[in-house]
Amino acid sequence: QVQLVESGGGLVQAGGSLRLACTASGMRFEDVTVGWFRQAPGKEREGVVCVSRIARTPYYTDSVRGRFTISRDNVKNTLYLQMNSLKPEDTAMYYCAADLDGNYFYTCNNPSIVDYWGQGTQVTVSS
């Protein structure tokens, strides 16, 4: 049984940083397309960053490029999202995701095809 568990969310002031982590059981992150998505109240879930098992460069949505960085620790089977220069508009529930056989660009732009989701971790950025 696949399970994804996020941690690291919280309340931070604008300009601050947070690092989210997602650990997996029942699968290996290095074998699949993985990513981080977010959903703010009243808005649709959107892809923040995705990367496939063979991609050299992750796909970042425009609003976070240059501020957020995805990384993967294959030994710990953990996915990270380093978020710097946070803005109030980054406030959302953040979800870790895994897609068994997706193209990472397509996955990030089509949340409906994601195979596995974590439970989410709340990020709140105050102004």
Side-chain angles (χ1 to χ4, degrees), residues 7-126:
S7 62
L11 174 64
V12 63
Q13 288 188 333
S17 298
L18 282 174
R19 189 176 79 155
L20 307 183
C22 175
T23 57
S25 58
M27 70 183 306
R28 299 289 305 174
F29 278 141
E30 60 189 309
D31 295 333
V32 300
T33 291
V34 296
W36 290 93
F37 291 72
R38 66 186 180 186
Q39 188 166 19
K43 294 189 177 181
E44 294 185 352
R45 191 168 298 190
E46 65 168 345
V48 175
V49 54
C50 296
V51 61
S52 75
R53 62 183 179 88
I54 60 174
R56 294 182 179 180
T57 304
Y59 165 77
Y60 291 92
T61 194
D62 288 345
S63 61
V64 308
R65 189 174 294 116
R67 300 188 296 122
F68 290 11
T69 303
I70 190 172
S71 61
R72 182 169 45 196
D73 185 326
N74 292 335
V75 174
K76 296 181 178 179
N77 201 27
T78 300
L79 190 68
Y80 299 100
L81 181 66
Q82 178 66 43
M83 305 185 295
N84 298 329
S85 302
L86 282 161
K87 304 175 181 180
E89 51 263 44
D90 294 319
T91 295
M93 186 73 78
Y94 282 72
Y95 297 90
C96 172
D99 185 9
L100 297 180
D101 55 7
N103 170 280
Y104 64 108
F105 176 82
Y106 189 74
T107 299
C108 247
N109 287 281
N110 294 275
S112 62
I113 70 170
V114 168
D115 293 299
Y116 299 104
W117 294 100
Q119 83 287 352
T121 186
Q122 178 67 37
V123 172
T124 303
V125 184
S126 63

